[in-house]
Amino acid sequence: SGENKSPGADAESLLEIAVIPKGTTHEFWKSIHAGAQQAASETEVEILWKGPQKEDDRAQQITVVEDFISRGVDGIVLAPLDDRALMRPVRDALRERIPVVIIDSALQGEDFISFVATDNYQGGVLAGRRMGELLLGKGDIFMIRYQAGSASTTKREAGFLDTVKQEFPQINLLVQDQYAGSTTETAYQLAENLLNRFPAVEGIFCPNESSTFGTLRALQEARMAGKIVFIGFDSSPKLVQGLRDGHIQGLVLQDPVKMGYLGVRQMVSHLRGQPIEKKIDTGVYMVSKENMEDPQMRSLLIPELLK
Amino acid sequence: MKTRSKILIAKEKMKDKSRVQMLLNWLGPFLGLILVLIIFSSIPEVQDRFLRISNLKSVATQSVIVALGALGMTFVIISGGIDLSAASNIALASVITAFAINAGFSPVLALFFGVLTGGMVGMVNGALITSLRLVPFIVTLGMLGIARGVAKWIAGNQKIDAPLTWVNELMAKSPRPSWLLMAPGVWIMILFAVAMAVILRYSVFGRHVFAIGSNEATARLCGIRISRTKILVYTIAGLFCGLSGVMEFSRLTVGDPTVAVGLELDIIAAVVIGGGSLSGGAGSILGSMIGVFIMAFLRNGCTMMGWPNYIQEIIIGAIIVAAVALDQIRHRQAL
Amino acid sequence: MKTRSKILIAKEKMKDKSRVQMLLNWLGPFLGLILVLIIFSSIPEVQDRFLRISNLKSVATQSVIVALGALGMTFVIISGGIDLSAASNIALASVITAFAINAGFSPVLALFFGVLTGGMVGMVNGALITSLRLVPFIVTLGMLGIARGVAKWIAGNQKIDAPLTWVNELMAKSPRPSWLLMAPGVWIMILFAVAMAVILRYSVFGRHVFAIGSNEATARLCGIRISRTKILVYTIAGLFCGLSGVMEFSRLTVGDPTVAVGLELDIIAAVVIGGGSLSGGAGSILGSMIGVFIMAFLRNGCTMMGWPNYIQEIIIGAIIVAAVALDQIRHRQAL
Amino acid sequence: MMNCSPPSGSLLRMEHISKRFGATCALDDVDFDLRKGEVHALIGENGAGKSTLVKILSGAVAADQGSISLEGYSFKSSNPLASRKQGIAMIYQELNLAPHLSVEENIMLGREIQRLGFVKRKTMQEAVEKALELVHHPEIKSHIPVKKLSVGAKQIVEIARALVGKAKVLIMDEPTSSLTQEDTLRLFQVIRQLKNQGVSIIYISHFLEEVQKVADRFTVLRDGKKIHTGRMEEISVDDLIQMMVGQKFVEMFPRIDHEIGEVVLQLKGLKGKRMATKVDLALRRGEILGVAGLIGAGRTETLRTVFGLDSIEKGTIVVGTIETDKGAPWIRIGQSVGLLSEDRQEEGMALSLSVADNLTLSRFSPYKKWGLLRLKKRREAVEFRLKQAKIKAQDPEQPVFGLSGGNQQKVALARLLHQEADILLLDEPTRGIDVMSKSQIYEWMGKLVQQGKAIIFVSSYLPELLGVCDKIAVFHRGNLIDIRPVPDWDTQSIMTVATLGRIPNENQVENSDRQGKDER
Ligand SMILES: Nc1ncnc2c1ncn2[C@@H]1O[C@H](COP(=O)(O)OP(=O)(O)OP(=O)(O)O)[C@@H](O)[C@H]1O
Ligand SMILES: Nc1ncnc2c1ncn2[C@@H]1O[C@H](COP(=O)(O)OP(=O)(O)OP(=O)(O)O)[C@@H](O)[C@H]1O
Ligand SMILES: [Mg+2]
Ligand SMILES: [Mg+2]
């Protein structure tokens, strides 16, 4: 089953690389897709972009990996939903001599050729520091969690919590184990209900795009946006607008375009027999109203490729 | 003499009893809701906050989307059907509305398109169910996937950003002309609820819906045009989903194709909690609205309590069963 | 002479026709599945890969979880009920299994605990439905929340990592003793499918399940113990969810409380596609299994094609309707 | 309430039985006893409480008060299973079958012959075939689903079910309401056999001649109270009726003069989807056309095709002046045609809806104003109709399932009257209706045709056909064999045509005339 695996054996047919995100509808994954596409057009390979049908469903992601193995793609770039559950399908791929590059989140074991990701924990730490600084080290805050079982956001939440607890002991967490759920609407309702209960809150942190946006809407609706410190994660046009309006005091950004881009680049290099790096960190950044016009931050906030 | 006074006393007692009975009967449908309200109003931690006007307003606004969906679903369920595509339809309508506004249509037109899309999806449901004679479960399950897929397709798998217009004011908790007190969406919901309740109880169409759900063969025998009535029922359900989608867009200010996943179960649950029978022939608008508010207050109260989500899930699950069981016991006693 | 030969020819034709008819009848239930297989086998891009043994093995393994759930659900639906808690129950069982292995129990015991948990949840469903005389929709909707909440609670809102044991081999696509050819889980599924088909068709219990679903009042008047039978039905459904949960754990190698959200609709859909009637009295194990495979092959084919998810959603939605419509038309012709 | 030594011969004793449904008192301090090996008839008007009494015995309904003893032992029947274990079998008035299950599965339901939990199909099949043989209907195939059977065939299955078990007490609640005379006679043979085997039978029927022939003793109920128990030989039908209704009964078939006019409904070579062959038929204004035939003769199918419930395959229907080969119930109702279904449970009634809804379902127009119903006006109209038809209902808003079988049937009829149709298709309209009410229905029919309406009257009860019709058509295996004016028919000739499908020659008719007259 390895006939079309060796590079250059069949010059006519393009290399086929499956890129498997954790979901397909968040802005974050759109950026990864854009990066992957850029890499694909540069290196003249074909990418198959396909996530689990239900956002963040481990079992379905395993199914997608298996189905691409069945299809016999040349390589798989995978953002694993679970550092453990995806090990077996990745090993199955290896057995079929399909190389795997891991992006975004970690996978246990050594069955992949490269790991391209951000340090999510570090992202949480950045958010915690900004929160502490803006609140001058004291105040009542919420941390709204994303969804039970989601590894990357759990890390961000942990980074935030650890930082706040260690560096700003006078900050009081009113809420820290409420989950926003996977859609904007559920996040909106949660934030609304929480604000009704604790109208005197001074700071809020959300660990991903959908929860950030839902909370932003609730703040705007409650006429509290801009009056409290609100720190979110990831970017989308509405969030950029929020930042500009002063409704959001900070967004932790990753570089998803780069992540997607490098993930595919690494894979192609490997397939073409070129040397690759085993681990690449694409970095996290804190964007605020002050630095949002910096060219680098601008490109992170509004990835060109999305246009 | 003696017997006569006995009869009199018995009659007096009957009167008393019947007064209590009447009160209970009148309160009957509300029992579950009252239970939920009492529970949260008696927990010291939240009691002062729970019954505040502003919280009630929040709950009302949060309920609009499910409530509008439930209005149509009540008709569908009474007619013996089910509409699993409701939630997808809401998402599709919200995307269409955002898309239309973005494309430069006037907000009124956009709203109209959103509602119409919902209605069309519903009509297709109805047409497939009656023409292919398929069970509603299958047709609307298929439509669940199709509508969601189309929504994502149109939106390009993203949220559609649309400029703010007055449509977005529909679900503002603090409405612009402040004498409105509640979001316009809440008023719209109340208006439609009353209208649909009247239609269900007093219109010929409403009676036909009940008859079809109770016994389709009898309904046919009595000259009711089953196909036409059913298509109308699903179209109405679709139109309400469309309106609900517009409200969803209004609330989120973006058209989000992934919104409301799984909401169909909430909508159906609200109707069933409110006395709707999945085998048809029973249900009421008032009941469904109470069902909606039971669920909304439960969610609201649990969140305010700050309980972890898993506890919330457990408690909500338990109270749904308890509320319906209570209603059941009341009914049994009434017989 | 001439007429005679004509008659002979006519007779021959009749025979032919009846043979075709017989073939069609025999193939009947498989028509939908065949349709799906033909579609994907004729798309040049995947055709050579689609029908490969290794892909069939993948699909078989992927189907195990839904299939096991559908076995129990078939009984529930035939009895006129519904089990919305199936997917939550699967998640709970997977968490319990992982938890037990982590706690140092032997894999056999852990498996046993997982299945038992499922069975207990099912029994509680059945007991509530019969004792409180509530509709199954409400009870199992409540249980949907409760089981999911408990699963998250036990798992502490995280997935549970458990050391690898032979339990995890149950769903390995390339099983250890290679003469097994398919994952042990697939064999278990086949075994149970045959067993349950036999029970449904040939056992007294199976008949009673049909009778209850077809006409509960009649069943009661004929002296069938409704409560006992129903509790048994839900317990069986629960046990299969438990087993399915164990398989889910085996596949994921972790106990995940958030797994299988919304899977209950897939399971119910498989049963309904396979001819199960939500109003009870109709359904078969073979049909349900075909329903499971229709959905699994559809997903598999669409993924292999690399179509975007929204296209996949649309296509799956449309084909579900088409497959059932086909079946419907066949049935109508047979009448 | 112990009862240690029963009076001699008394197998079953019910004492001081009372039962209320809400405000309705269905039974009020009723005593009843049944001897070994007797046939005990239970008679009374619709809603008198007959079904309720026997349902208490079978465990389907729990009594509020009273005691039951069986063979001297106090016996509390809490559920059907307990009663069945005591050897009490029952044929319910409302057909009580699981539609998806086969004939065999239905008959053996709850008493499957099993080994290790698995059914012994063969053995059961034989038992079922034997039972069907006993009621002379071996042609009912034991493997077909019951929902495909006609109402008459279903009733046969129901009877067969009661026969397979070894019962001590067999309760039959209107077992012959959908049966033809032939089948009824066969049932009586079976009852006699059982009696000889020592089985005690409680027999409920509104056919008093039938009751008189088969029963040893009788008990009359009126408004939930026991009026009298006595020996059958010692009483006449007229006295029975007097006891039932508390007044003198005048005339069974009141003849009302009516004029027959032009053709209003014509079937031209009509063949429906489920009809065996083509049917030609004409119905005139002011005419009652009776239709006779055996079970499955195709009478119901013909009516359904005319009404548009089954699709037309060949031929046409002329309603008034409009000829058509298509139809749907709403079109027919628009043409002022109305149908009363023989199957009131599956098709005739929306059981969970109110009496008012059921009664007005086919015509809301009188109460409509701006698309909305004026419920008060409707309520008054319905109350009037209920009183007029002497329907025992507490309240127009009461769900129909709370009415007794006969009263449900009356609601179905009242709907047809309310619809004010010009052409009425009545399929077994008097099914389960008491003698007085029947006579009232015949009177209605007479008045309707007097007003220039036309009626097709399908019935399996020949005396009523002979009593009220102008013409009678006889079906045999889907074929319309013959139509003749009533004076040219008699019981015997109808039966001959219905069973053999041939028109007997004249002298045969005359010969059998006298025998035929006293069959029922
Ligand atoms: N389930 C019920 N709910 C309310 N009322 C009932 C119920 N069943 C019977 N009744 C009432 O009890 C009374 C007696 O009914 P029952 O069925 O015993 O009459 P019946 O003598 O069998 O009449 P029929 O000859 O019409 O069958 C009726 O007035 C009926 O309305
Ligand atoms: N004994 C039987 N076995 C199988 N099918 C039967 C039997 N009797 C009737 N049927 C079904 O009933 C249909 C014709 O019955 P139909 O109801 O038209 O007759 P009917 O004269 O009205 O008799 P009934 O008194 O039973 O209503 C047939 O097409 C057949 O499907
Ligand atoms: Mg009765
Ligand atoms: Mg008939």
Side-chain angles (χ1 to χ4, degrees), chain B residues 84-98:
Chain B
L84 294 176
S85 68
S88 299
N89 202 355
I90 290 174
L92 177 61
S94 92
V95 165
I96 294 280
T97 313

Side-chain angles (χ1 to χ4, degrees), chain A residues 238, chain B residues 162-166 168 253:
Chain A
K238 286 275 174 190
Chain B
L164 286 181
T165 60
W166 60 259
N168 300 103
T253 69

Side-chain angles (χ1 to χ4, degrees), chain B residues 93-322:
Chain B
S94 92
V95 165
I96 294 280
T97 313
F99 190 84
I101 288 187
N102 243 2
F105 289 100
S106 74
V108 181
L109 263 183
L111 191 153
F112 182 74
F113 285 149
V115 175
L116 207 71
T117 311
M120 261 165 43
V121 169
M123 203 168 71
V124 172
N125 277 338
L128 286 175
I129 289 167
T130 51
S131 67
L132 297 179
R133 276 188 271 167
L134 290 181
V135 284
F137 187 90
I138 286 294
V139 170
T140 57
L141 180 74
M143 192 53 86
L144 181 158
I146 296 174
R148 179 73 65 182
V150 171
K152 287 185 186 168
W153 192 6
I154 290 174
N157 251 325
Q158 260 179 309
K159 298 196 184 80
I160 297 188
D161 271 312
L164 286 181
T165 60
W166 60 259
V167 173
N168 300 103
E169 292 293 314
L170 287 176
M171 291 285 276
K173 216 176 82 186
S174 332
R176 198 57 63 80
S178 61
W179 50 262
L180 266 177
L181 290 172
M182 286 189 289
V186 177
W187 291 114
I188 293 178
M189 167 188 92
I190 293 173
L191 210 79
F192 274 114
V194 172
M196 296 320 279
V198 168
I199 289 179
L200 192 57
R201 265 192 72 87
Y202 294 102
S203 80
V204 173
F205 170 66
R207 297 282 150 172
H208 286 181
V209 173
F210 270 107
I212 290 176
S214 175
N215 188 341
E216 193 169 322
T218 303
R220 179 173 300 120
L221 189 88
C222 289
I224 295 172
R225 304 174 70 167
I226 309 281
S227 298
R228 219 172 62 168
T229 311
K230 276 194 181 173
I231 291 178
L232 195 55
V233 164
Y234 284 91
T235 308
I236 289 176
L239 287 171
F240 275 108
C241 288
L243 188 59
S244 180
V246 172
M247 295 298 166
E248 185 77 83
F249 163 72
S250 161
R251 197 165 146 78
L252 297 181
T253 69
V254 294
D256 181 356
T258 64
V259 87
V261 172
L263 202 73
E264 66 276 357
L265 270 191
D266 276 20
I267 296 175
I268 296 169
V271 177
V272 177
I273 290 175
S277 156
L278 286 175
S279 45
S284 74
I285 296 286
L286 178 66
S288 299
M289 291 301 106
I290 289 170
V292 169
F293 279 100
I294 286 181
M295 308 248 287
F297 273 113
L298 265 177
R299 294 249 157 84
N300 173 267
C302 286
T303 311
M304 286 187 107
M305 285 302 299
W307 287 326
N309 280 47
Y310 54 85
I311 304 253
Q312 274 187 41
E313 277 176 279
I314 295 173
I315 289 182
I316 293 180
I319 295 196
I320 286 176
V321 176

Side-chain angles (χ1 to χ4, degrees), chain D residues 353-480:
Chain D
L353 294 190
S354 68
V355 173
D357 274 337
N358 270 290
L359 212 150
T360 56
L361 200 51
S362 54
R363 193 169 74 107
F364 283 126
S365 47
Y367 320 112
K368 221 159 62 173
K369 193 174 184 187
W370 299 322
L372 295 185
L373 288 176
R374 294 154 74 190
L375 293 184
K376 207 153 169 207
K377 187 172 170 201
R378 185 178 78 156
R379 193 189 166 92
E380 282 158 14
V382 169
E383 265 166 358
F384 170 72
R385 297 257 172 198
L386 291 183
K387 210 171 283 161
Q388 186 194 32
K390 299 209 183 79
I391 296 172
K392 271 192 196 160
Q394 279 169 47
D395 189 281
E397 293 305 320
Q398 172 191 18
V400 164
F401 65 73
L403 299 190
S404 79
N407 283 309
Q408 287 179 17
Q409 184 72 16
K410 287 189 199 167
V411 172
L413 263 166
R415 172 169 67 219
L416 219 61
L417 294 180
H418 176 266
Q419 187 192 325
E420 294 179 353
D422 291 333
I423 301 169
L424 292 93
L425 313 174
L426 308 180
D427 200 354
E428 314 272 5
T430 58
R431 193 182 155 209
I433 283 185
D434 67 41
V435 188
M436 277 296 273
S437 310
K438 259 185 206 166
S439 140
Q440 191 193 355
I441 289 170
Y442 304 142
E443 196 183 324
W444 281 352
M445 289 169 67
K447 281 186 184 151
L448 287 174
V449 286
Q450 195 177 33
Q451 291 161 22
K453 310 204 163 176
I455 297 176
I456 295 185
F457 179 17
V458 171
S459 173
S460 299
Y461 182 47
L462 297 186
E464 67 179 6
L465 286 184
L466 292 167
V468 299
C469 295
D470 298 308
K471 278 189 200 159
I472 293 178
V474 182
F475 275 72
H476 170 75
R477 301 214 173 143
N479 291 299
L480 173 60

Side-chain angles (χ1 to χ4, degrees), chain D residues 66-297:
Chain D
S67 63
I68 307 174
S69 65
L70 186 68
E71 294 179 316
Y73 297 100
S74 154
F75 154 63
K76 192 136 184 67
S77 182
S78 47
N79 60 53
L81 186 57
S83 291
R84 172 181 274 192
K85 282 195 176 146
Q86 294 292 328
I88 298 173
M90 172 149 173
I91 300 171
Y92 290 91
Q93 180 179 15
E94 300 303 337
L95 292 173
N96 189 39
L97 299 164
H100 299 85
L101 268 51
S102 72
V103 171
E104 179 251 316
E105 285 165 335
N106 264 294
I107 289 179
M108 298 306 288
L109 193 58
R111 55 161 69 90
E112 290 85 358
I113 302 167
Q114 53 173 302
R115 186 195 288 141
L116 303 171
F118 287 90
V119 293
K120 292 165 94 174
R121 257 236 170 86
K122 274 262 168 58
T123 325
M124 291 202 291
Q125 197 105 14
E126 280 159 18
V128 166
E129 268 156 26
K130 229 162 59 202
L132 287 172
E133 195 85 39
L134 212 57
V135 285
H136 291 267
H137 275 280
E139 85 285 355
I140 297 179
K141 295 277 170 292
S142 64
H143 65 269
I144 52 174
V146 155
K147 65 177 163 197
K148 292 198 174 155
L149 296 184
S150 71
V151 177
K154 280 180 187 160
Q155 199 156 37
I156 297 283
V157 172
E158 186 90 39
I159 292 171
R161 169 152 74 193
L163 298 181
V164 283
K166 293 273 170 287
K168 272 184 266 183
V169 178
L170 185 55
I171 305 165
M172 299 185 168
D173 194 351
E174 299 191 32
T176 59
S177 63
S178 299
L179 293 194
T180 57
Q181 188 169 2
E182 235 196 341
D183 285 314
T184 307
L185 293 177
R186 286 201 198 110
L187 179 67
F188 289 173
Q189 276 173 21
V190 175
I191 288 178
R192 272 179 217 116
Q193 277 173 29
L194 289 172
K195 206 168 99 173
N196 292 338
Q197 291 164 18
V199 179
S200 309
I201 293 165
I202 301 175
Y203 190 90
I204 300 176
S205 176
H206 290 296
F207 296 111
L208 295 181
E209 304 89 333
E210 197 177 290
V211 168
Q212 214 170 24
K213 206 175 318 172
V214 74
D216 303 314
R217 290 198 305 156
F218 68 89
T219 294
V220 178
L221 292 181
R222 186 166 78 215
D223 290 332
K225 292 189 191 66
K226 182 176 126 173
I227 301 297
H228 185 72
T229 300
R231 296 194 57 77
M232 205 74 224
E233 306 115 41
E234 296 162 3
I235 194 155
S236 68
V237 170
D238 284 346
D239 292 341
L240 269 182
I241 294 174
Q242 174 142 28
M243 269 186 230
M244 277 167 61
V245 296
Q247 70 191 61
K248 199 116 183 92
F249 182 64
V250 214
E251 154 98 271
M252 190 65 192
F253 301 113
R255 289 238 38 122
I256 294 169
D257 285 330
H258 51 270
E259 239 169 69
I260 294 180
E262 79 279 6
V263 174
V264 287
L265 177 75
Q266 201 178 357
L267 318 188
K268 291 185 176 169
L270 183 73
K271 183 181 171 326
K273 206 175 118 198
R274 290 193 290 176
M275 284 164 66
T277 46
K278 290 188 274 191
V279 168
D280 285 279
L281 198 80
L283 177 69
R284 292 171 176 278
R285 176 183 302 283
E287 178 180 56
I288 303 178
L289 173 64
V291 180
L294 301 183
I295 288 188

